[in-house]
Amino acid sequence: MTTQHEPAGGRAGNRAPRPAWLGMLLAAIWIVFLAVPLREAAGAATVPMRVLGIVGVVGLAALFASSFFRHWAGSTPTPRTTTLLVAAELACVALTTLAAGQQGLAGLVLVTATVMMFASLRAGLAVVTVLALALLALPRTVPGWRPEDGLVLTALLAGAAMFAFRRATERNRTLHRAQEEIAALAVAQERDRISRDMHDILGHSLTVVSVKGELAARLLRSGPTPDGAAALPPGIERAEAELTEIQALVRSALADMRGMVADERQVTLTGELAAARSAFDAAGITADLPGAVDEVAERYRDVFAWALREGTTNVLRHAAARRAVITLAPEALVIDDDGRGLGAGEQPAPGGGNGLTGLTERASGVGLVVETGTSPLGGLRLAVHAPGSAVPGPERGSA
């Protein structure tokens, strides 16, 4: 069983997408302008002309719909792409006009909308002016056509409406980005407040624990020995050593807390490997650890260091393990143990969920994934790796 974890808040930086159905509805409203040209093209005198006319109408509808969806999704094409798009739409209008006659000019309404959707205001006004003049001139110069100035007004209104729609969506996106930045600042301020409170509250308590541990160690050393022996009994020596270790851990925790408050967390993969070896030795757990971190990709080392700290803590607190194996690869870190592992449907490490969530968020920030499952050793496996990369580790039953 392997469980892949994602950050609780979803993908950072993603904004809620606007409903696709609304974009489809708005595009369909614009494409209604092609109903009359399609009818006229389908009734052309010859089959080739019908085919050309229908191809022109369908092509124009497809080009406009794709352009509108691109705008709806917040994507802006380059000026060269916009020019090619408008040229392709004009070609489709020309094909439609060959089959539908004067009615094919209605497609220029969509062309003006496309121009005002993407072009700058100056360029858009220039192109729309040219198209309006064409709508005025062509019916007056082509034999059999008659002036239809209402279509000119429709094209101008369509361009104005699309430009207004474009500015409204741009303002909405700017407002949304500003709201996201404000929310991010509020979260950062709250985190700073919590960090300061933790430092003020826990920092004092940890300092007192360190001082009392040091005092207890001195009292053990200064106490009388039984039967006038010169050396302390083994049990007292072990207790003194453990108290000294507690002092070191408390000092390390204080340093970490101060670093977190100051945003100067000095966590290194090499240092975490050394700390893990020391912790496993103190707990009587046989540990197989790599001797170097040279092969690990530089951009992954900080995340692997946090993963190693989290995994070591889980093994020490929850696994009841006798053996742990830590495996490093250029794009993967795997921690296996032979402890009690996970039962069916059980989640990792009660009380460690926040650590796993934080680790998942760190990992996703550099493109890694976090997985937990059953280890080949029989206990729990914690793996942090790049998607698609091989996950190394010990073989099942290896000694």
Side-chain angles (χ1 to χ4, degrees):
M1 178 188 66
T2 300
T3 304
Q4 182 168 323
H5 301 268
E6 295 184 0
R11 296 179 180 179
N14 282 1
R15 61 174 182 267
R18 292 183 291 180
W21 65 266
L22 183 56
M24 295 174 61
L25 177 61
L26 294 175
I29 292 173
W30 284 93
I31 293 174
V32 166
F33 281 103
L34 297 179
V36 174
L38 179 61
R39 184 193 65 195
E40 295 296 324
T46 63
V47 173
M49 293 302 292
R50 293 175 191 169
V51 172
L52 286 178
I54 293 174
V55 167
V57 172
V58 173
L60 179 58
L63 289 170
F64 179 81
S66 64
S67 302
F68 192 90
F69 283 132
R70 176 178 291 188
H71 175 72
W72 187 254
S75 174
T76 302
T78 62
R80 180 174 181 273
T81 303
T82 301
T83 302
L84 293 175
L85 177 62
V86 172
E89 289 186 349
L90 288 173
C92 290
V93 172
L95 289 177
T96 305
T97 304
L98 288 176
Q102 183 178 353
Q103 300 300 328
L105 294 178
L108 291 179
V109 174
L110 297 187
V111 178
T112 59
T114 301
V115 170
M116 298 308 294
M117 196 187 312
F118 295 128
S120 65
L121 180 59
R122 178 180 296 181
L125 289 176
V127 174
V128 169
T129 300
V130 172
L131 293 176
L133 292 175
L135 286 172
L136 285 172
L138 287 175
R140 290 173 168 83
T141 56
V142 176
W145 289 10
R146 56 181 179 176
E148 192 174 345
D149 297 340
L151 186 59
V152 179
L153 179 61
T154 301
L156 293 175
L157 291 176
M162 181 56 72
F163 184 73
F165 176 75
R166 167 185 170 181
R167 294 300 300 270
T169 54
E170 288 174 350
R171 288 194 178 99
N172 286 338
R173 292 188 186 110
T174 301
L175 177 61
H176 188 81
R177 285 193 295 268
Q179 290 173 339
E180 287 184 333
E181 292 175 0
I182 292 172
L185 287 174
V187 171
Q189 291 176 353
E190 183 64 13
R191 286 177 176 172
D192 289 343
R193 184 191 67 79
I194 294 174
S195 296
R196 289 192 298 269
D197 290 347
M198 287 180 59
H199 180 268
D200 293 342
I201 297 171
L202 295 182
H204 173 73
S205 300
L206 289 173
T207 301
V208 173
V209 170
S210 178
V211 171
K212 288 187 175 292
E214 183 178 359
L215 175 60
R218 284 204 305 268
L219 291 175
L220 284 174
R221 174 59 65 180
S222 62
T225 58
D227 301 327
L232 291 173
I236 296 181
E237 287 186 349
R238 178 64 185 273
E240 183 185 13
E242 293 298 330
L243 285 171
T244 303
E245 183 70 17
I246 290 174
Q247 295 174 50
L249 291 173
V250 170
R251 293 191 187 100
S252 176
L254 278 170
D256 288 343
M257 182 182 299
R258 291 176 182 131
M260 290 177 67
V261 173
D263 198 20
E264 297 176 353
R265 292 166 283 189
Q266 301 298 324
V267 177
T268 63
L269 185 55
T270 303
E272 292 303 317
L273 280 173
R277 184 178 296 278
S278 175
F280 287 143
D281 289 344
I285 297 174
T286 302
D288 299 331
L289 285 82
V293 299
D294 298 342
E295 65 175 357
V296 178
E298 184 67 32
R299 64 184 182 278
Y300 296 148
R301 291 188 182 182
D302 287 346
V303 174
F304 285 175
W306 287 103
L308 182 56
R309 174 177 289 193
E310 175 68 16
T312 301
T313 301
N314 287 339
V315 172
L316 294 173
R317 290 182 179 177
H318 311 298
R322 294 174 298 173
R323 181 178 177 227
V325 177
I326 297 174
T327 308
L328 276 176
E331 297 183 335
L333 167 72
V334 182
I335 303 173
D336 292 289
D337 65 66
D338 63 351
R340 55 173 169 255
L342 298 175
E346 185 181 356
Q347 294 299 316
N354 291 334
L356 188 59
T357 300
L359 175 60
T360 303
E361 292 175 351
R362 293 178 191 274
S364 65
V366 294
L368 299 175
V369 295
V370 178
E371 294 180 348
T372 56
T374 303
S375 166
L377 301 181
L380 177 67
R381 160 169 285 191
L382 172 64
V384 182
H385 63 93
S389 64
V391 180
E395 297 295 332
R396 185 176 296 275
S398 62

